[in-house]
Amino acid sequence: MLHLIQFQRVESGSQGKSEKDCEMEMSSKGSDPAIWEEIELSESYLVCSMYEEAASSASSILKRLSKHGEDLEATDHFELYDMLESAGMVLVQSLIELGRTSEILHELKLLFASVPTIPVQVLLTGVCFYISEGHSLGVQEFLEEFLSRWTFVDEQYVLVGTEENADYTEKCDGPFVLGVDKYLEVVEVYVLKLLGTILNDFDLASSWVENAKLPEDRRQVLLRRLHSLHSVKATNSSQGNFSSLLVDDNEAHSSCLQQITVPDGHPKTKYPPKGDTAKNQAVFNLSKRLEPCFWWFRTITLKFGSARVVISNGKIVLGFLILLIYYVFRRKQATIKRIVQRRTLSMKNALVDLWQLAFSYQVNPLAAVQPLAAATRSGQ
């Protein structure tokens, strides 16, 4: 409510002034609190999901700033840049929420004095959402116009034609000066996203990077990323073509198998007949269940010139088992030998003990007749 009251005051105050008075006020004051209040109001509309009001308010602010911006003194250019960026972000986000993404580039061209004067953050946000929605008409010319109007001077980019107004000591982004990182963000969107990914024009992308005024280390990085992107897309394209050829070949092969050639005079039918659909489905399900059971008996055919060798899966698995056992024996030969010797020695000792126990017991041959002799002596 407070913002609405402030907005009404701004509107009522502006209605009482002529256009000439507004121009004089903006030329005499580079930091107009009323403009910041209107920007805050448009941001409040955006936060409150009042997107139509936010877009309308931001458009009105941008029109006034673009029309009277040249009247500001040089010391106010950075503040003007901040105002343009804030209002531009509100406009772009409002158009996105309203489903009018296709109008973003047109609105930016209409509301800003020229494409290079659009703040980088506003331009990147608008272009990225414009491309993400599947739009590509006019975006190449839009980005090329922006990039072509900046020249590389003293490790930063300066707007062409404003070299005398640019402050080379300032290392922050502004209306006349851009840092290398900010400029390269736009370059990456143009080269990698648009030309490399959307348009697949790697020749134009490589040529532009090689001829552009870029730091040499950044140029090499961009060329390597372009080469990697081109390799990935070429690999995916070849795999996609190969897969489509296989699918087409399989479909043609299956259609040829289904179509049964019959003599003239008889109707042509396709296999399987429609009446046996349930039966064929049952057979198919049964074959799927039994398929793992016959895995052992499947064969692999190897051709060496005119010779052919047929090997079953069972023989292959058996061969691997033999190799595995041989490998284990080779690695654990000493250990296995000690175990076998220990077992053999223990068995030998057991047999010897058994033999000694069996034949060391003394047997008395007279034990059987001794009881009879004792009985005889007792009788006497």
Side-chain angles (χ1 to χ4, degrees):
M1 182 64 69
L2 178 61
H3 287 299
L4 292 176
I5 295 173
Q6 291 175 346
F7 184 66
Q8 291 175 357
R9 290 177 179 175
V10 172
E11 286 187 341
S12 61
S14 61
Q15 289 177 358
K17 298 179 181 179
S18 63
E19 182 177 354
K20 185 176 181 180
D21 294 334
C22 292
E23 291 180 1
M24 291 177 63
E25 182 178 356
M26 293 197 67
S27 61
S28 60
K29 295 176 65 178
S31 175
D32 192 350
I35 297 179
W36 282 116
E37 290 178 1
E38 293 184 31
I39 292 175
E40 291 178 1
L41 179 61
S42 64
E43 292 173 348
S44 300
Y45 286 145
L46 181 64
V47 173
C48 296
S49 301
M50 303 171 64
Y51 303 122
E52 288 286 356
E53 292 79 359
S56 176
S57 177
S59 299
S60 175
I61 295 170
L62 289 173
K63 285 179 182 179
R64 287 159 50 197
L65 291 176
S66 299
K67 183 176 182 181
H68 305 294
E70 64 274 6
D71 298 330
L72 297 175
E73 299 178 359
T75 56
D76 300 318
H77 287 145
F78 286 99
E79 187 169 8
L80 172 64
Y81 187 84
D82 292 338
M83 291 179 179
L84 290 172
E85 185 177 54
S86 300
M89 289 299 295
V90 173
L91 173 67
V92 170
Q93 294 178 67
S94 301
L95 293 177
I96 293 170
E97 295 295 338
L98 290 171
R100 296 164 54 187
T101 310
S102 59
E103 304 176 15
I104 289 179
L105 299 188
H106 175 72
E107 291 293 330
L108 292 179
K109 289 181 180 179
L110 187 65
L111 296 174
F112 285 89
S114 61
V115 173
T117 61
I118 301 175
V120 176
Q121 193 62 35
V122 177
L123 181 135
L124 287 174
T125 305
V127 168
C128 289
F129 275 101
Y130 186 84
I131 294 176
S132 65
E133 293 291 333
H135 307 292
S136 59
L137 181 63
V139 66
Q140 181 177 354
E141 295 79 7
F142 185 83
L143 291 175
E144 287 177 352
E145 182 179 355
F146 180 88
L147 294 171
S148 63
R149 294 291 302 276
W150 296 89
T151 182
F152 189 58
V153 180
D154 293 339
E155 301 299 325
Q156 57 189 352
Y157 286 88
V158 180
L159 188 63
V160 175
T162 62
E163 289 83 354
E164 57 183 14
N165 295 329
D167 187 0
Y168 297 100
T169 61
E170 291 285 349
K171 296 300 180 181
C172 58
D173 302 325
F176 306 129
V177 178
L178 276 184
V180 175
D181 293 334
K182 279 293 184 182
Y183 184 81
L184 285 176
E185 287 182 16
V186 184
V187 171
E188 289 180 2
V189 172
Y190 172 67
V191 172
L192 299 176
K193 183 69 174 178
L194 181 63
L195 297 182
T197 305
I198 305 298
L199 302 180
N200 291 324
D201 195 344
F202 288 96
D203 294 335
L204 177 58
S206 300
S207 175
W208 191 94
V209 173
E210 291 173 356
N211 297 324
K213 296 178 179 179
L214 302 173
E216 190 59 32
D217 56 337
R218 300 296 188 91
R219 188 196 314 277
Q220 297 303 323
V221 171
L222 279 174
L223 289 175
R224 285 196 297 269
R225 293 178 64 182
L226 269 176
H227 178 71
S228 301
L229 180 62
H230 180 61
S231 301
V232 171
K233 292 181 74 67
T235 302
N236 294 338
S237 177
S238 61
Q239 290 178 352
N241 294 334
F242 181 71
S243 301
S244 62
L245 288 175
L246 287 179
V247 171
D248 295 340
D249 183 67
N250 290 335
E251 291 179 352
H253 183 66
S254 61
S255 62
C256 291
L257 290 178
Q258 289 179 356
Q259 185 69 34
I260 301 176
T261 305
V262 296
D264 295 337
H266 295 272
K268 294 183 178 181
T269 60
K270 289 186 177 181
Y271 179 83
K274 293 182 179 179
D276 297 335
T277 302
K279 180 179 179 181
N280 291 327
Q281 186 65 30
V283 173
F284 177 71
N285 293 335
L286 180 61
S287 64
K288 288 178 65 178
R289 294 179 181 178
L290 296 177
E291 185 177 1
C293 301
F294 295 98
W295 175 87
W296 185 267
F297 303 99
R298 291 182 181 176
T299 59
I300 297 176
T301 303
L302 302 177
K303 292 183 179 180
F304 301 95
S306 59
R308 174 185 293 182
V309 179
V310 180
I311 306 174
S312 65
N313 288 344
K315 292 181 179 179
I316 295 176
V317 174
L318 185 60
F320 276 112
L321 287 176
I322 294 174
L323 290 176
L324 180 61
I325 294 172
Y326 175 76
Y327 173 77
V328 172
F329 270 103
R330 291 286 296 177
R331 292 295 299 270
K332 304 295 183 180
Q333 184 176 5
T335 305
I336 295 174
K337 188 176 180 179
R338 286 196 301 270
I339 294 173
V340 172
Q341 288 177 351
R342 193 181 301 116
R343 295 294 183 186
T344 305
L345 183 60
S346 63
M347 290 181 65
K348 179 182 177 181
N349 295 333
L351 290 174
V352 171
D353 293 341
L354 181 63
W355 180 269
Q356 291 177 352
L357 181 63
F359 292 97
S360 65
Y361 182 74
Q362 298 296 326
V363 179
N364 187 3
L366 300 177
V369 297
Q370 280 180 355
L372 294 175
T376 304
R377 285 196 297 270
S378 64
Q380 291 177 358

